[in-house]
Every structure is written in structure tokens, then in C-alpha cells.
Amino acid sequence: MNIKSMTMEEISHVLKDMGQPAFRAKQVYTWLHKGVRSYDEMSNLPKALRDVLTEQYPIFVPEVVRKQESQKDGTIKYLWKLHDGNCVETVLMRYHYGNTVCISTEVGCRMGCAFCASTLGGLVRKLEPFEMLNQVLFTQVDSELPISHIVLMGIGEPLDNFDNVMRFLELVNSADGMNISMRHISLSTCGLVPGIDKLAEKKLQLTLSVSLHAPTDEIRDTIMPVNKAYPTEQLIAACRRYYDKTGRRISFEYAMINGVNDTPEAARVLLKRLKGLPAHMNLIPLNHVEESPLKPSTREAVHRFQNILEDGGIPATVRRTLGSDIDASCGQLRRKYTKGE
Ligand code: SAH
């Protein structure tokens, strides 16, 4: 395991085996989570130890291949090259409540949603915990903007990479690391029911976002292949269990697609099916993806839909589109290059 994927306790075992005193683990852990590029920056470690660690536990730092900044809203998108040559994207958004980083959890994605660019090349591999941490860390280091919020809404399906994502959350939340509060973290899933149940068991204070995008199987089947495995009835039941277990309100995402899922009837069916479930609805006018023929709903359709939901008791907001001029909006991130391409 990469040293930056290890908890402080695990690092302390490594160092103990090297005959080091107990206090070294905290030193090493703190340096790693500050974003040092090499052990030689760890000025309070003996040279001999720095040399052994350099040899046995390499520090990987992703390389900025491209950095784009939106002229409209200051959103920044990074394309990183990982140590094996694969590339992923990260987006930094500046909200009034704090700087928010949107990270990728996989290289590519195997979920196949019809409207999303991230899935076009399929899944290449899952990201390791340290590779998710590095996105937060080096976005902060490079931009010099302190990061307070994280959304797991970039490339990949977080619940398809469950153990690595859980470990990443533990690391980024740790008091001696970046110390980012769970309440400032949102995890978005396309609806992997077993993953939602597993996450509920952890009782984390994060926000679970569920990409619902349709009120019925009839519609959802046409845009999200995952619905064949976990149809809407099972998905909504899992959301109810999640709420019962954690007491955390579910945040639903609903990409508004012209003529597909944006009718008043769809809104009414949605209300009926979510009855009694504390929820929030995030309406996202569909963002442009070149390969997809799907079009965004009209502004009128979005507002009509929003009003029906709100009148029915589900708070609904229209997500502000950030970074659209640099293809940094929801569903626009893509793998770009992989090793050897
Ligand atoms: N795989 C996870 C994480 C991705 S989050 C998930 O599916 O939830 C990215 C969000 O953007 C998801 O809700 C996704 O469905 C949505 N999205 C994808 N393509 C989009 C597009 N073209 N326009 C608007 N939203 C889109």
C-alpha cells in the first residue's frame, strides 16, 4: 500500500519495524498531508530515515497536465497525470460558503449513463485512497485556496470503489491530516443499492446524493443501465433505509432532459414515490456532451418542474452551472488520455 493511503497507526507500525521512536509517525503523517513532494522536505527527520523511506515508500505527486480557469465564474479544472500515466480531472469551485473540490474516484466509469461523458471509454481502473487525497491536497497547494468542502462527483462511481473511498474519507477527515469535516463532504452515487446499504452501516455525517434522474423504471431504463440491476423501487427503498439508519436527509440529483424526464406528470409521479422521505432535489439542466443527442430542458420546463415539487413538499433547487466554458460542469469530465494513447 502507498504510504499516503495509510492511517497514522499503520505508518506507526512501519516506523516501529524500522526501529523508530513512536513520535515519528505523527511527523511523517503530518508532512505527507501537507503535500510535500519528497522526504527531504521533512526537515525534522534524520537523514538516514529519509533515505530508507525514499527507497521503500515512494511519494507520488500527480503532475498538472493542464489547468483551465473559467472566465465566467473562476472555476478551475485540473487534468492530472498519475504515476502510471493515467489521467483524471478535478474541479475547484468557489462558493460563498467555501472552496469546494469535486474529485474523481475512478479512471473512467463502467456505469454507462447515456448523458455522461465520464463513462464513454469505460472503466480503466479504480483510484487508490491516496490518489483521491492527492486531488484535494494538490488542488489546494496549486491554487493556494484553502479547501473546505469536497464532493465525490467527478469521474467514476464512488460506491463501485467502496473500500478505497471509505479509507480516503477517513484520511481526509483526520485531525492530523486535512481535517475536513464529514458534514462538508457529499458522496454521489448512480444508485448501487448494496453500496448504499453498506454506507448506511457506517453512519457517516456526510451527505448522500443519489442520481435519480427519472421517476419511473420506464424512463430510467432508457438513460441509466444501472436501473436494470437496481430498479427505482429498490433504489428508493434503499434511500428510506439509509435515512432510517443515519437520520440524514437524501439529496437527489435530477438532470433535466428535454422531452425525456421533464414533464409535469413526471414531477407528480416523483412526489408520490418519494412521499414521506426527507429529501432535497437538485435539478441540473442537462449539460452538453458532444457524443450525446440529449438536450437540456427549457428554462420554463425546469421551473414548472421545480414548482410542482416544492408545492408537494420537496425542496428543489436548480443547480448553478459552473465552469461550463471549460467543460467542467456535471457530466462533462472525461478521462482524456490514458497510458499509451
Ligand atoms: N457516478 C456518480 C458520481 C458522478 S456525480 C453518480 O452517478 O452520481 C455527477 C453527477 O452529474 C451525477 O448526478 C450525474 O448523473 C450527473 N450528470 C452526468 N452527466 C450529466 C450531464 N450531461 N448534465 C447534467 N448532469 C450530468
Side-chain angles (χ1 to χ4, degrees), residues 57-318:
Y57 293 96
I59 294 177
F60 290 131
V61 175
E63 183 190 320
V64 181
V65 179
R66 195 170 65 203
K67 176 180 177 182
Q68 292 164 277
E69 185 156 355
S70 166
Q71 297 308 305
K72 291 187 191 163
D73 51 50
T75 296
I76 301 174
K77 183 169 78 165
Y78 289 97
L79 176 69
W80 308 102
K81 186 190 250 177
L82 309 175
H83 60 280
D84 68 349
N86 279 306
C87 290
V88 290
E89 293 189 311
T90 303
V91 179
L92 170 61
M93 295 160 292
R94 299 180 217 184
Y95 288 113
H96 65 274
Y97 52 76
N99 297 315
T100 302
V101 71
C102 174
I103 65 159
S104 298
T105 55
E106 297 179 316
V107 181
C109 181
R110 62 191 183 107
M111 296 300 142
C113 299
F115 41 80
C116 183
S118 301
T119 198
L120 289 169
L123 176 69
V124 178
R125 71 169 174 85
K126 301 175 182 204
L127 292 185
E128 305 275 323
F130 79 94
E131 296 176 304
M132 295 180 243
L133 180 69
N134 274 348
Q135 293 174 62
V136 186
L137 204 47
F138 290 103
T139 295
Q140 177 168 276
V141 169
D142 183 88
S143 68
E144 298 179 350
L145 295 167
I147 307 294
S148 56
H149 292 69
I150 302 174
V151 297
L152 281 73
M153 297 188 180
I155 301 166
E157 166 50 47
L159 297 184
D160 193 35
N161 188 13
F162 193 88
D163 293 341
N164 286 340
V165 165
M166 291 306 117
R167 186 176 269 270
F168 156 69
L169 291 174
E170 183 182 344
L171 295 170
V172 83
N173 177 237
S174 68
D176 294 298
M178 294 193 80
N179 200 13
I180 293 181
S181 154
M182 280 289 173
R183 287 184 176 269
H184 288 186
I185 300 179
S186 293
L187 183 156
S188 182
T189 178
C190 66
L192 299 180
V193 166
I196 293 173
D197 283 326
K198 248 163 79 181
L199 185 65
E201 294 297 330
K202 306 264 180 200
K203 294 203 167 72
L204 301 178
Q205 293 296 300
L206 53 71
T207 298
L208 176 64
S209 295
V210 174
S211 298
L212 189 57
H213 303 324
T216 61
D217 291 331
E218 203 188 347
I219 301 175
R220 203 165 187 264
D221 277 343
T222 66
I223 48 178
M224 299 180 73
V226 69
N227 198 62
K228 297 269 193 241
Y230 306 109
T232 51
E233 191 176 338
Q234 284 182 36
L235 176 56
I236 294 167
C239 292
R240 291 186 195 278
R241 289 194 294 276
Y242 187 89
Y243 176 76
D244 290 342
K245 265 255 150 65
T246 64
R248 304 283 298 165
R249 186 173 76 153
I250 308 278
S251 172
F252 287 103
E253 288 149 298
Y254 198 99
M256 303 275 313
I257 312 174
N258 187 28
V260 174
N261 62 1
D262 62 350
T263 60
E265 172 63 10
R268 284 190 283 268
V269 176
L270 209 49
L271 276 177
K272 208 179 296 163
R273 298 199 68 188
L274 298 181
K275 205 168 177 60
L277 175 63
H280 176 268
M281 194 68 63
N282 245 305
L283 303 175
I284 317 169
L286 191 79
N287 293 309
H288 179 69
V289 171
E290 201 179 298
E291 293 85 345
S292 160
L294 300 170
K295 294 274 179 290
S297 303
T298 63
R299 195 191 281 254
E300 295 70 44
V302 174
H303 286 129
R304 195 171 53 205
F305 202 90
Q306 180 183 23
N307 288 337
I308 296 172
L309 291 179
E310 296 232 306
D311 289 347
I314 298 187
T317 44
V318 181

Side-chain angles (χ1 to χ4, degrees), residues 25-50:
K26 187 167 176 171
Q27 292 177 325
V28 171
Y29 188 88
T30 311
W31 280 116
L32 288 172
H33 288 248
K34 279 204 177 102
V36 294
R37 290 169 184 276
S38 83
Y39 289 102
D40 285 330
E41 291 177 46
M42 302 188 182
S43 50
N44 52 1
L45 297 196
K47 172 88 169 79
L49 175 60
R50 297 195 315 242

